[in-house]
Amino acid sequence: MNDWPDGWTDDNRGGNRYGQGSASERPESARSMPHVQRRPAPPQQRPAPPRQRPVPQQPSGYDDGNPQYDSGYNTGQVYGGGHGGRGAGHGGGDRGYVQGRPGPAPDWRRRIKIGALVLVVALLGVSVGTYFWADSKLNRAVDLSKVIERPEAGKGTNYLIVGSDSREGMTSEDKKRLHTGSADGKRTDSMMILHTGDNGPTLVSLPRDSNVEIPSFVGSESGKKYPGTGKTTKLNAAYASDGPELLVRTVEFNTGLHIDHYVEIGFGGFAKIVDAIGGVELDIPKAFKDKYSGADFQAGKQTLNGQEALAFVRTRHAFTSDLDRTKNQQKFLAALASQTATFSTIINPFKLYPTMGAGLDTLIVDKDMSLWSLGKMFFAMKGVTGGDGTSMNMPISGSVGGNLVWDKAKVKQLVEQLKNDEKVTVTEN
């Protein structure tokens, strides 16, 4: 095929010398046709490999189609590659991946730190949530600001712990099962002072039959001031007359010891707490039986459920003195605290929440009681049995009209040691 213009021959092309090293600066044919202009051929470009990103633009510097440098282009390399050799501009995947080379190793130290931080935040959130949930369940119904003529506060903290015979919230079946009877109102069934400080906890039982004077007081409901009569009566009569506020006023007046917090629990709540933790193991030194409380115990170690525990702490007719009953109450409450305040209970939500729910739902405390203070009281109770504390009855010197008379000299010494947060050396006998 002849690609030359019509009428052109080999002679016109100057012996086929065009483009083959003619000595002339320009081919003759070009000189004979000034109207025809030769355009230089574009430099050759290497086509981009199929399905790959085009070769980056190369700088100028070509002469007669020969590059003056090595571009370094490698058809086996993918720039910003992706799946199937497609670039990032084509919806590619891992940007910056180089075919044939492994990716960076996982930073396990960073991952562990992040995981630990997430765990701490989660635990903190659960703890804060549990605190506010438990705090909202406290029944702060006792107003100690209504108590008048209070003694000066000493060192440490003093709790007045009261077990009442309240049947509130109990069904007829509960009353029958727990042998509580159906008496209206409520009375104190046990009273204790728990002192916490730097020299270990001290638990002092106040017999309900203690012979005390009820002083002047302001009615918790009426706000009316009632003058003292100077007459003595049983300690539990103060609670029966005007409730917790008058009981605190009477204890402070007869001991001279400032009460910082008040805690009360009824029959039903007591039994629920014991059942929630799966019972309390107790070593009973001597068998006893009481048809009034439903107690029927053999000597030796045994686990008491809620019903049995309530019968144990309420029994009085099986003993010759109310002091024996207060000893049993101290022993059981310390065992209850010791077996509840354990690591296995705290980390087990299926045990912790039922126990807290059963206890907090039935507690009555003073308006200034915090969940933290309640926890300190509970762990102090545990310390009584752990060898760090002391448990005793209020020292008794005799009786009058069936009421137990306190030993004034020993009581004064005991109160001074508690006020100064000293190691208690007074004995009950």
Side-chain angles (χ1 to χ4, degrees):
M1 178 177 178
N2 187 357
D3 294 330
W4 297 98
D6 293 341
W8 281 66
T9 65
D10 289 340
D11 293 336
N12 296 122
R13 289 183 279 120
N16 196 24
R17 290 177 297 175
Y18 180 71
Q20 297 186 13
S22 171
S24 173
E25 182 178 351
R26 295 189 333 182
E28 292 180 2
S29 59
R31 292 194 300 268
S32 63
M33 297 184 65
H35 62 281
V36 177
Q37 297 182 357
R38 180 175 66 88
R39 298 174 182 234
Q44 295 182 355
Q45 294 184 353
R46 184 176 299 167
R51 298 178 63 83
Q52 293 183 353
R53 183 176 176 179
V55 179
Q57 185 178 359
Q58 306 294 331
S60 60
Y62 286 80
D63 183 22
D64 294 333
N66 295 320
Q68 294 178 345
Y69 69 97
D70 184 2
S71 67
Y73 176 73
N74 186 340
T75 58
Q77 185 176 5
V78 179
Y79 295 88
H83 299 292
R86 299 178 63 185
H90 297 279
D94 300 330
R95 186 177 298 274
Y97 172 76
V98 179
Q99 184 176 358
R101 297 183 185 178
D107 189 348
W108 289 108
R109 294 179 63 182
R110 182 172 179 270
R111 293 185 182 184
I112 291 173
K113 289 180 180 178
I114 294 176
L117 180 61
V118 171
L119 179 61
V120 169
V121 171
L123 290 176
L124 183 61
V126 171
S127 299
V128 172
T130 299
Y131 180 89
F132 284 105
W133 167 79
D135 188 74
S136 67
K137 285 184 168 291
L138 287 178
N139 182 11
R140 298 180 172 92
V142 179
D143 189 357
L144 295 183
S145 67
K146 296 179 179 179
V147 180
I148 63 173
E149 301 176 17
R150 309 192 67 187
E152 184 180 352
K155 298 179 181 178
T157 305
N158 299 312
Y159 300 84
L160 181 60
I161 304 173
V162 176
S164 76
D165 64 0
S166 172
R167 290 126 174 118
E168 185 177 352
M170 296 175 62
T171 64
S172 298
E173 291 76 13
D174 290 335
K175 295 175 184 177
K176 183 177 180 180
R177 177 175 57 88
L178 299 175
H179 297 270
T180 64
S182 300
D184 294 330
K186 59 180 182 179
R187 288 151 293 278
T188 54
D189 203 63
S190 61
M191 292 163 283
M192 304 177 189
I193 295 175
L194 175 66
H195 173 84
T196 63
D198 295 334
N199 285 288
T202 300
L203 186 63
V204 183
S205 286
L206 309 175
R208 57 182 289 177
D209 295 337
S210 295
N211 194 61
V212 297
E213 178 185 344
I214 297 182
S216 60
F217 67 97
V218 173
S220 59
E221 297 294 334
S222 66
K224 179 181 177 181
K225 185 171 183 178
Y226 296 89
T229 62
K231 296 181 179 180
T232 59
T233 185
K234 292 182 179 181
L235 179 59
N236 64 346
Y239 184 95
S241 297
D242 199 52
E245 288 85 359
L246 180 54
L247 178 60
V248 171
R249 165 70 172 142
T250 303
V251 169
E252 290 186 339
F253 177 81
N254 286 270
T255 63
L257 187 66
H258 181 90
I259 300 300
D260 298 290
H261 293 294
Y262 178 91
V263 181
E264 177 187 328
I265 187 168
F267 283 163
F270 182 84
K272 287 179 181 179
I273 293 175
V274 175
D275 286 335
I277 65 171
V280 174
E281 185 180 73
L282 204 65
D283 188 1
I284 301 176
K286 184 179 179 181
F288 64 91
K289 195 172 184 178
D290 181 10
K291 67 177 182 179
Y292 296 98
S293 67
D296 187 3
F297 298 104
Q298 300 298 318
K301 285 187 177 182
Q302 50 204 287
T303 300
L304 278 57
N305 60 26
Q307 175 186 342
E308 294 166 336
L310 186 58
F312 181 82
V313 299
R314 290 185 60 224
T315 296
R316 60 181 306 189
H317 297 282
F319 309 118
T320 58
S321 170
D322 196 44
L323 299 178
D324 293 325
R325 186 174 75 132
T326 58
K327 283 291 186 182
N328 280 350
Q329 292 170 347
Q330 288 181 351
K331 182 176 182 178
F332 184 85
L333 290 179
L336 173 65
S338 179
Q339 295 173 41
T340 304
T342 62
F343 183 73
S344 60
T345 299
I346 295 174
I347 66 172
N348 184 354
F350 299 102
K351 197 172 183 180
L352 174 64
Y353 287 97
T355 302
M356 293 181 66
L360 297 174
D361 280 341
T362 55
L363 285 180
I364 298 175
V365 299
D366 64 272
K367 294 185 179 297
D368 295 326
M369 175 71 82
S370 67
L371 196 61
W372 176 257
S373 295
L374 187 63
K376 288 177 62 178
M377 183 201 81
F378 196 69
F379 277 91
M381 289 286 294
K382 178 180 179 179
V384 172
T385 57
D388 298 330
T390 302
S391 62
M392 59 184 294
N393 279 310
M394 187 66 81
I396 303 298
S397 61
S399 64
V400 55
N403 298 344
L404 298 174
V405 179
W406 294 351
D407 187 323
K408 293 183 179 180
K410 285 190 173 182
V411 169
K412 182 178 180 180
Q413 183 182 359
L414 172 63
V415 170
E416 286 300 316
Q417 290 178 343
L418 294 178
K419 277 186 174 182
N420 297 322
D421 196 23
E422 299 172 351
K423 186 69 177 178
V424 172
T425 59
V426 178
T427 59
E428 59 184 84
N429 299 319

Coordinates of all heavy atoms in Angstrom, one line a residue, residues 201-242:
P201 N -14.3 -2.3 118.0 CA -15.7 -2.1 118.3 C -16.0 -2.7 119.7 O -15.5 -3.6 120.1 CB -16.4 -2.9 117.2 CG -15.5 -4.0 116.8 CD -14.1 -3.4 117.0
T202 N -17.0 -2.0 120.3 CA -17.5 -2.5 121.6 C -19.1 -2.6 121.5 O -19.7 -1.6 121.1 CB -17.2 -1.5 122.7 OG1 -15.7 -1.5 122.8 CG2 -17.7 -2.1 124.0
L203 N -19.6 -3.7 121.8 CA -21.0 -4.0 121.7 C -21.6 -4.2 123.1 O -21.2 -5.1 123.8 CB -21.3 -5.2 120.8 CG -22.8 -5.5 120.5 CD1 -23.4 -4.4 119.7 CD2 -22.9 -6.8 119.8
V204 N -22.5 -3.3 123.5 CA -23.0 -3.3 124.9 C -24.6 -3.5 124.8 O -25.3 -2.6 124.2 CB -22.7 -2.0 125.6 CG1 -23.3 -2.1 127.1 CG2 -21.2 -1.7 125.6
S205 N -25.1 -4.6 125.3 CA -26.5 -4.8 125.3 C -27.2 -4.1 126.5 O -26.6 -4.1 127.6 CB -26.8 -6.3 125.5 OG -26.5 -7.0 124.2
L206 N -28.3 -3.6 126.2 CA -29.2 -2.9 127.2 C -30.4 -3.8 127.5 O -31.3 -3.8 126.6 CB -29.6 -1.5 126.7 CG -28.5 -0.6 126.2 CD1 -29.1 0.7 125.7 CD2 -27.5 -0.3 127.3
P207 N -30.4 -4.5 128.5 CA -31.6 -5.3 128.8 C -32.9 -4.6 128.8 O -33.0 -3.4 129.3 CB -31.3 -5.9 130.2 CG -29.8 -5.8 130.3 CD -29.4 -4.6 129.6
R208 N -33.9 -5.1 128.2 CA -35.2 -4.4 128.0 C -35.8 -4.1 129.4 O -36.6 -3.2 129.5 CB -36.2 -5.2 127.2 CG -36.4 -6.6 127.7 CD -37.3 -7.4 126.7 NE -38.7 -6.9 126.8 CZ -39.7 -7.4 126.0 NH1 -39.4 -8.4 125.2 NH2 -40.9 -7.0 126.2
D209 N -35.4 -4.9 130.4 CA -36.0 -4.8 131.8 C -35.1 -3.9 132.6 O -35.3 -3.9 133.9 CB -36.1 -6.1 132.4 CG -37.2 -7.0 131.7 OD1 -38.0 -6.5 131.0 OD2 -37.1 -8.3 131.9
S210 N -34.2 -3.1 132.0 CA -33.3 -2.2 132.8 C -34.2 -1.2 133.5 O -35.1 -0.6 132.9 CB -32.3 -1.5 131.9 OG -31.4 -2.5 131.3
N211 N -33.9 -0.9 134.7 CA -34.6 0.1 135.5 C -34.0 1.5 135.2 O -32.9 1.8 135.6 CB -34.4 -0.2 137.0 CG -35.4 0.5 137.9 OD1 -36.6 0.4 137.7 ND2 -34.9 1.4 138.8
V212 N -34.8 2.4 134.5 CA -34.3 3.7 134.1 C -35.3 4.7 134.4 O -36.5 4.4 134.6 CB -33.9 3.7 132.6 CG1 -32.8 2.7 132.3 CG2 -35.2 3.4 131.8
E213 N -34.9 6.0 134.4 CA -35.8 7.1 134.5 C -36.1 7.7 133.2 O -35.2 8.0 132.4 CB -35.1 8.2 135.5 CG -36.0 9.4 135.6 CD -35.3 10.5 136.4 OE1 -34.3 10.2 137.1 OE2 -35.7 11.7 136.4
I214 N -37.3 8.0 132.9 CA -37.7 8.6 131.6 C -37.7 10.1 131.9 O -38.5 10.6 132.7 CB -39.1 8.1 131.1 CG1 -39.0 6.7 130.8 CG2 -39.5 8.9 129.9 CD1 -40.3 6.1 130.3
P215 N -36.9 10.9 131.2 CA -36.7 12.3 131.5 C -37.8 13.1 130.8 O -38.6 12.6 130.0 CB -35.3 12.6 131.0 CG -35.1 11.7 129.8 CD -35.9 10.4 130.2
S216 N -37.7 14.4 130.9 CA -38.5 15.3 130.1 C -38.2 15.2 128.6 O -37.0 14.9 128.2 CB -38.3 16.8 130.5 OG -36.9 17.2 130.3
F217 N -39.2 15.4 127.7 CA -38.9 15.2 126.3 C -39.9 15.9 125.5 O -41.0 16.4 126.0 CB -39.0 13.7 125.9 CG -40.3 13.1 126.1 CD1 -41.2 12.9 125.0 CD2 -40.8 12.6 127.3 CE1 -42.4 12.3 125.1 CE2 -42.1 12.1 127.5 CZ -42.9 11.9 126.4
V218 N -39.6 16.1 124.2 CA -40.6 16.7 123.3 C -41.2 15.6 122.4 O -40.5 14.8 121.9 CB -39.8 17.7 122.4 CG1 -40.8 18.3 121.3 CG2 -39.3 18.9 123.2
G219 N -42.5 15.6 122.4 CA -43.2 14.5 121.6 C -42.8 14.5 120.2 O -42.7 15.6 119.5
S220 N -42.5 13.4 119.6 CA -42.0 13.3 118.2 C -43.1 13.7 117.2 O -42.8 14.2 116.1 CB -41.6 11.9 117.9 OG -42.6 10.9 118.2
E221 N -44.4 13.5 117.6 CA -45.5 13.8 116.7 C -46.1 15.2 117.1 O -46.4 16.0 116.3 CB -46.5 12.7 116.7 CG -46.0 11.4 116.1 CD -45.7 11.5 114.7 OE1 -46.2 12.3 114.0 OE2 -44.8 10.7 114.2
S222 N -46.4 15.3 118.4 CA -47.1 16.5 118.8 C -46.2 17.8 118.9 O -46.7 18.9 118.8 CB -47.7 16.2 120.2 OG -46.7 16.1 121.2
G223 N -44.9 17.6 119.2 CA -44.0 18.7 119.4 C -44.2 19.3 120.8 O -43.6 20.3 121.1
K224 N -45.0 18.7 121.6 CA -45.3 19.2 122.9 C -44.2 18.7 123.9 O -43.7 17.6 123.8 CB -46.7 18.7 123.4 CG -47.0 19.2 124.8 CD -48.4 18.6 125.2 CE -48.8 19.0 126.6 NZ -50.1 18.4 127.0
K225 N -43.8 19.6 124.9 CA -42.8 19.2 125.8 C -43.5 18.6 127.1 O -44.4 19.1 127.6 CB -41.9 20.3 126.2 CG -40.8 19.9 127.2 CD -39.8 21.1 127.4 CE -38.7 20.6 128.3 NZ -37.7 21.7 128.5
Y226 N -43.0 17.3 127.4 CA -43.5 16.6 128.6 C -42.4 16.7 129.7 O -41.3 16.3 129.4 CB -43.8 15.2 128.2 CG -44.9 15.1 127.2 CD1 -44.6 15.1 125.8 CD2 -46.3 15.0 127.5 CE1 -45.6 15.0 124.8 CE2 -47.3 14.8 126.6 CZ -47.0 14.9 125.3 OH -48.0 14.8 124.3
P227 N -42.8 17.1 130.9 CA -41.9 17.1 132.0 C -41.6 15.7 132.5 O -42.4 14.8 132.4 CB -42.6 18.0 133.0 CG -44.0 17.7 132.8 CD -44.2 17.5 131.3
G228 N -40.4 15.6 133.0 CA -40.0 14.3 133.7 C -40.7 14.2 135.0 O -40.9 15.1 135.7
T229 N -41.0 12.9 135.4 CA -41.7 12.6 136.6 C -40.7 12.2 137.7 O -41.1 12.2 138.9 CB -42.7 11.6 136.4 OG1 -42.1 10.3 136.0 CG2 -43.7 12.0 135.4
G230 N -39.5 11.8 137.3 CA -38.5 11.3 138.3 C -38.7 9.8 138.6 O -38.0 9.2 139.4
K231 N -39.8 9.2 138.1 CA -40.1 7.8 138.4 C -39.3 6.9 137.5 O -38.9 7.3 136.4 CB -41.6 7.5 138.2 CG -42.5 8.3 139.2 CD -43.9 7.9 139.0 CE -44.8 8.6 140.0 NZ -46.3 8.3 139.8
T232 N -39.0 5.7 137.9 CA -38.2 4.8 137.1 C -39.2 3.7 136.6 O -40.2 3.4 137.2 CB -37.1 4.1 137.9 OG1 -37.7 3.4 139.0 CG2 -36.1 5.1 138.4
T233 N -38.8 3.1 135.4 CA -39.6 2.1 134.8 C -38.7 1.3 133.9 O -37.5 1.5 133.8 CB -40.7 2.7 133.9 OG1 -41.6 1.7 133.4 CG2 -40.2 3.6 132.8
K234 N -39.2 0.3 133.2 CA -38.4 -0.5 132.3 C -38.0 0.3 131.1 O -38.8 1.2 130.6 CB -39.2 -1.8 131.9 CG -39.4 -2.8 133.0 CD -40.2 -4.0 132.5 CE -40.4 -5.0 133.6 NZ -41.1 -6.2 133.2
L235 N -36.8 0.0 130.6 CA -36.3 0.8 129.4 C -37.2 0.7 128.2 O -37.4 1.7 127.5 CB -34.9 0.3 129.1 CG -34.2 0.9 127.9 CD1 -34.1 2.4 128.1 CD2 -32.8 0.3 127.7
N236 N -37.8 -0.5 128.0 CA -38.6 -0.6 126.7 C -39.9 0.2 126.8 O -40.6 0.4 125.8 CB -38.9 -2.1 126.4 CG -39.8 -2.8 127.5 OD1 -39.9 -2.2 128.6 ND2 -40.3 -3.9 127.2
A237 N -40.2 0.7 128.0 CA -41.4 1.6 128.1 C -41.2 2.9 127.4 O -42.2 3.5 126.9 CB -41.8 1.8 129.6
A238 N -40.0 3.4 127.3 CA -39.7 4.6 126.6 C -40.1 4.5 125.1 O -40.7 5.4 124.6 CB -38.2 5.0 126.8
Y239 N -39.7 3.4 124.5 CA -40.0 3.2 123.1 C -41.5 3.1 122.9 O -42.1 3.6 122.0 CB -39.3 2.0 122.6 CG -39.5 1.7 121.1 CD1 -38.6 2.1 120.2 CD2 -40.6 1.0 120.6 CE1 -38.7 1.9 118.8 CE2 -40.8 0.7 119.3 CZ -39.9 1.2 118.4 OH -40.0 0.9 117.1
A240 N -42.2 2.4 123.8 CA -43.6 2.2 123.7 C -44.4 3.5 123.9 O -45.5 3.7 123.3 CB -44.1 1.1 124.8
S241 N -43.8 4.4 124.7 CA -44.5 5.7 124.9 C -44.4 6.7 123.8 O -45.4 7.3 123.4 CB -43.9 6.3 126.2 OG -44.1 5.5 127.3
D242 N -43.2 6.8 123.2 CA -43.1 7.8 122.1 C -42.1 7.5 121.0 O -41.6 8.3 120.3 CB -42.8 9.2 122.7 CG -43.1 10.3 121.7 OD1 -44.3 10.4 121.2 OD2 -42.2 11.1 121.4

